[in-house]
Amino acid sequence: MQLNQDNLEVLPSSIQCPLYNRDEQKPSIVHIGVGGFHRAHQAFFLDELLNNGLTDWTICGMGLKPEDNLIYKALKEQDYLYTLVVKHSDNAICPRVIGSIVNYIFVPDNHASAIEKLSDPQVKIVSLTITEGGYNFDTNGYFIIGNPDIQWDIHHPQMPKTVFGLLAAALKIRKERNIPAFAVLSCDNIQHNGDVAKKMLLSFTDAVDTVLSEWIQANVCFPNSMVDRITPVTTENDSKLLNEKYGIEDACSVTCEPFIQWVLEDNFPNGRPAWEKVGVQFVPNIDPYEKMKIRLLNAGHSFLGLIGSLAGYDTIDESMNDPLLQKSLRSFMDEEVTPLLGAIEGMDLEEYKNSLFRRFENPNIKDQLTRICSESSAKLPKFLIPTILEQLERNGPIRYGVLALAAWCRTLELYGAGQYPYPIQDALLEELTEAATLSAGDQPLAFIEKQAVFGPLSHSFRWEETYLSSIHAIRTYGVKDAILRLCVYPQQACSEK
Ligand code: CS2
């Protein structure tokens, strides 16, 4: 049975469905980037509030990229309903239909209505999951004004291709019509994500309208937030399970883990849903939570992804089943990341890491390493490289982190030689593959000389030396033996030399 509003009544009673009248709600949140993560996280929290009669806020989704047309069409076909399937490690499966998204605008076909919707006084929050690369800043933190899409937006303000052009067009109207500004709520894995969103939007408006920049400075709030829920890419098997077990045909279903966390700064002058009533945490200073999550969970994912895929694994749980990889991940977290985190009030870091291990081990989540390794060129400068940089500054350990980066180079080298069987998605794939290939020949530093990724590390001799010995060991012995020689038993490897 196709999932839609009419069919809700006849779904199996074991499936929780929206208990509220979805027609009566007028969207007060616009969310840009309605991927699986948003549907498993923010839309879930709002659905929970709506079901408990604790809010009348709902979401209008928006997509700016041509490929968003797919999710737009699929959601529209289902009256914007979808099934969220929570998979527990003990094999329990809890499907639930989420109804908090009540509309969607596909921006490339509807620029005017998207700008108009964002100018509607009813819209009080614009939230974003536009990926780490979507914020368009270089390794020094500066907005990349030369990006062709940004240049397009500067010259075509009514037909924006990026979130910055879109927000600027709407905020300009709000300013002119004297409508209070919406808050911009970034939900991406970037430290100080709200501050970064602000800096990037202002860099854009500085280039087009400095008076608008001043108005934004004075009127728009950008709360920082830490978001967390592991949400793999939905597979054909997931959809099949929903169909076979529950009789639901759903082109937009999302599978995720049971764990969910959202920590926010309470900076919404124009109002917000009472999220705290469904477990969202509000704290005065988000910094330690963001840093802990990004440096341990996200970097831990990248660590397992880069090393695990080279060792022949497909998913995070498979990589965790390899005792050497599991042990290395723990050493990376304990020796290289934890000393940089400091104490976090009310947080036991040991227990946090243990809980990450339990989450990564969940055999029913099957988080694909291709997903984890996608867009590594945007992720690693935020997740992993800052740890190496800080450790270099204090003369601390960097072996595990560097080995993961060398594994990345080796993967691209193999990919370039046609010897890596999996697809790789990365905005810089071509140039990084070329550099990795050169680095296997007579330009050993070609890969790490790529400023767009490794820029901040470029002056360190110790980084260079550690990287060269790691890539050499991976090429010569394979990634697992390289870990044993360089990280687990480094003394022994030295004496062998
Ligand atoms: C992952 C994240 O994209 C990645 O590399 O680390 O998507 C991660 O699963 C989420 O941030 C979990 O909250």
Side-chain angles (χ1 to χ4, degrees):
M1 178 193 324
Q2 156 93 48
L3 180 62
N4 59 34
Q5 188 68 41
D6 288 343
N7 285 343
L8 283 185
E9 282 175 14
V10 283
L11 287 186
S13 57
S14 58
I15 296 186
Q16 183 176 337
C17 290
L19 301 170
Y20 44 95
N21 184 344
R22 296 176 69 233
D23 295 337
E24 276 173 11
Q25 323 290 339
K26 223 179 154 213
S28 345
I29 299 176
V30 167
H31 184 80
I32 304 179
V34 185
F37 179 76
H38 170 72
R39 307 209 296 284
H41 191 263
Q42 189 186 330
F44 161 82
F45 274 123
L46 201 60
D47 187 70
E48 190 78 347
L49 276 176
L50 284 157
N51 270 334
N52 287 296
L54 295 170
T55 192
D56 56 1
W57 292 54
T58 53
I59 298 169
C60 168
M62 272 189 199
L64 276 150
K65 297 196 175 150
E67 58 268 27
D68 293 332
N69 203 13
L70 279 179
I71 187 71
Y72 160 62
K73 284 195 170 144
L75 275 173
K76 188 163 190 253
E77 191 72 12
Q78 303 182 179
D79 302 321
Y80 311 104
L81 293 164
Y82 61 93
T83 325
L84 181 64
V85 183
V86 179
K87 288 191 171 172
H88 296 253
S89 49
D90 64 1
N91 299 335
I93 298 176
C94 305
R96 153 172 179 167
V97 175
I98 305 285
S100 52
I101 300 177
V102 296
N103 196 359
Y104 188 108
I105 299 178
F106 177 58
V107 183
D109 284 351
N110 300 285
H111 292 103
S113 44
I115 296 171
E116 202 46 49
K117 166 57 79 190
L118 286 162
S119 320
D120 183 340
Q122 176 80 27
V123 172
K124 308 217 167 74
I125 296 174
V126 176
S127 51
L128 313 173
T129 42
I130 55 172
T131 76
E132 292 73 29
Y135 291 80
N136 190 51
F137 59 93
D138 63 20
T139 49
N140 295 315
Y142 293 115
F143 191 64
I144 308 170
I145 197 85
N147 173 335
D149 286 350
I150 296 293
Q151 285 299 316
W152 168 274
D153 283 9
I154 291 175
H155 296 104
H156 305 85
Q158 296 312 311
M159 296 172 73
K161 287 186 181 180
T162 78
V163 73
F164 304 105
L166 181 62
L167 294 182
L171 287 167
K172 191 171 157 65
I173 296 179
R174 292 177 91 107
K175 169 178 159 286
E176 283 161 2
R177 295 186 193 159
N178 239 333
I179 300 169
F182 45 68
V184 176
L185 171 58
S186 165
C187 299
D188 285 290
N189 293 311
I190 297 179
Q191 260 179 271
H192 314 133
N193 51 11
D195 301 340
V196 170
K198 178 176 184 177
K199 182 173 168 191
M200 299 309 136
L201 180 59
L202 286 173
S203 305
F204 177 82
T205 51
D206 281 349
V208 288
D209 182 346
T210 50
V211 182
L212 178 60
S213 284
E214 279 165 30
W215 189 84
I216 293 175
Q217 285 268 20
N219 292 279
V220 184
C221 290
F222 298 80
N224 290 301
S225 83
M226 181 272 246
V227 293
D228 194 4
R229 185 168 229 185
I230 295 174
T231 312
V233 176
T234 307
T235 62
E236 264 179 40
N237 274 347
D238 294 324
S239 314
K240 223 165 108 194
L241 177 122
L242 207 53
N243 201 337
E244 283 170 4
K245 205 160 172 201
Y246 303 96
I248 303 182
E249 259 200 54
D250 181 349
C252 312
S253 72
V254 183
T255 297
C256 67
E257 62 167 344
F259 182 92
I260 187 163
Q261 191 178 21
W262 197 6
V263 191
L264 277 169
E265 280 172 3
D266 203 353
N267 188 8
F268 298 86
N270 209 356
R272 61 163 175 82
W275 280 311
E276 68 282 4
K277 296 195 172 146
V278 285
V280 176
Q281 296 159 261
F282 285 91
V283 298
N285 178 15
I286 202 92
D287 289 8
Y289 294 90
E290 283 182 322
K291 188 169 178 184
M292 171 187 78
K293 192 259 171 167
I294 292 172
R295 301 285 187 95
L296 287 170
L297 187 154
N298 297 111
H301 258 168
S302 295
F303 181 91
L304 281 182
L306 298 170
I307 294 176
S309 47
L310 203 49
Y313 300 121
D314 292 326
T315 60
I316 287 289
D317 62 301
E318 268 180 19
S319 310
M320 286 295 281
N321 274 336
D322 182 320
L324 178 65
L325 265 57
Q326 174 159 160
K327 189 171 172 305
S328 310
L329 175 65
R330 190 71 195 206
S331 303
F332 165 67
M333 288 181 172
D334 289 348
E335 294 164 25
E336 299 181 13
V337 183
T338 308
L340 306 174
L341 295 179
I344 305 170
E345 214 191 296
M347 204 72 209
D348 175 345
L349 274 179
E350 281 314 296
E351 178 40 36
Y352 182 75
K353 285 182 276 188
N354 293 340
S355 79
L356 287 184
F357 271 53
R358 290 193 292 273
R359 293 169 62 193
F360 287 1
E361 278 168 341
N362 184 337
N364 297 312
I365 287 303
K366 309 233 165 302
D367 201 1
Q368 307 89 351
L369 300 189
T370 46
R371 176 187 90 85
I372 296 296
C373 296
S374 69
E375 303 304 341
S376 284
S377 67
K379 290 175 181 174
L380 298 171
K382 284 119 193 156
F383 299 173
L384 179 58
I385 292 175
T387 292
I388 298 178
L389 206 59
E390 280 179 50
Q391 285 293 9
L392 284 169
E393 275 160 19
R394 47 191 268 161
N395 210 14
I398 57 169
R399 299 183 292 219
Y400 285 99
V402 175
L403 199 118
L405 295 179
W408 183 33
C409 177
R410 178 67 180 149
T411 301
L412 292 170
E413 222 176 278
L414 293 172
Y415 181 78
Q419 291 167 21
Y420 187 74
Y422 305 104
I424 302 180
Q425 185 194 321
D426 198 302
L428 301 186
L429 181 60
E430 210 173 303
E431 63 175 279
L432 288 172
T433 305
E434 197 183 320
T437 308
L438 289 175
S439 77
D442 57 0
Q443 294 182 46
L445 296 178
F447 186 66
I448 61 167
E449 274 165 0
K450 284 284 154 195
Q451 293 297 307
V453 180
F454 300 106
L457 291 169
S458 59
H459 302 296
S460 163
F461 178 68
R462 186 154 76 95
W463 143 248
E464 208 173 283
E465 208 187 17
T466 314
Y467 165 80
L468 285 175
S469 54
S470 303
I471 186 76
H472 172 74
I474 293 175
R475 283 190 197 119
T476 317
Y477 308 108
V479 71
K480 288 180 59 175
D481 256 20
I483 299 179
L484 285 172
R485 285 169 177 264
L486 296 181
C487 304
V488 184
Y489 304 114
Q491 297 319 92
Q492 213 166 308
C494 277
S495 57
E496 271 177 33
K497 277 187 199 163

